[in-house]
Amino acid sequence: MAIKLGMEAVLNYKVGGQGGGGSWTGLANTRDVTLNLETGGADVTTRANSGWRATVATLKEASVEFEMVWDTADAGFTAIKNAYLNNEAIGLQVLDGPAGQGLQADFMITNFSRSEALEEAISVSVTAKVTYSATAPSWIGG
């Protein structure tokens, strides 16, 4: 069995999107990353389905949700913050390990909410959604 632990997973970013200059960089200041993959559906039910509704898959969509410690000296934090504030695309790779498999796409940061719990470090909850790009999303490494 080839199980993977969440702590082995990797979230990489690239300023300017997938086609931007530079290399992919690990976004180490994250915790509790969730990759949401969904597909829309079209109803293709006919009388021949004997009373069963029939659906075919249509468009796929993806979002990534994660938390970061509020660390203004961290380059990855700054890249995510700037992508949000400037409405700029940022490339993300959500992989199950350093040389693993997962989604690679250009994303827009659609949520950047700061939490200031009394007995915790200030943190930020981030949501990123796939955005329009010259480079289509792809599943890499698998």
Side-chain angles (χ1 to χ4, degrees):
M1 181 177 350
I3 62 169
K4 297 277 189 171
L5 300 176
M7 65 184 195
E8 298 170 342
V10 176
L11 180 59
N12 296 322
Y13 74 96
K14 193 174 192 186
V15 174
Q18 298 176 75
S23 60
W24 291 95
T25 304
L27 195 58
N29 178 14
T30 59
R31 58 180 172 209
D32 299 333
V33 177
T34 301
L35 172 61
N36 301 300
L37 299 171
E38 298 182 33
T39 303
D43 186 347
V44 293
T45 306
T46 66
R47 293 179 181 150
N49 287 100
S50 300
W52 288 90
R53 183 170 309 280
T55 304
V56 295
T58 58
L59 299 174
K60 292 176 177 46
E61 61 182 283
S63 65
V64 181
E65 298 172 3
F66 56 93
E67 292 182 8
M68 302 180 79
V69 172
W70 188 272
D71 182 357
T72 57
D74 178 64
F77 172 85
T78 300
I80 297 295
K81 178 185 62 119
N82 288 346
Y84 173 74
L85 292 174
N86 299 320
N87 294 326
E88 295 174 344
I90 188 164
L92 294 177
Q93 292 177 328
V94 189
L95 307 176
D96 63 1
Q101 62 175 300
L103 183 68
Q104 173 178 300
D106 288 334
F107 288 82
M108 290 295 287
I109 306 302
T110 60
N111 180 43
F112 190 79
S113 299
R114 189 166 79 181
S115 175
E116 301 174 1
L118 188 60
E119 293 188 8
E120 300 290 333
I122 295 175
S123 63
V124 62
S125 295
V126 178
T127 301
K129 294 184 178 182
V130 171
T131 190
Y132 179 80
S133 173
T135 308
S138 61
W139 191 265
I140 60 172

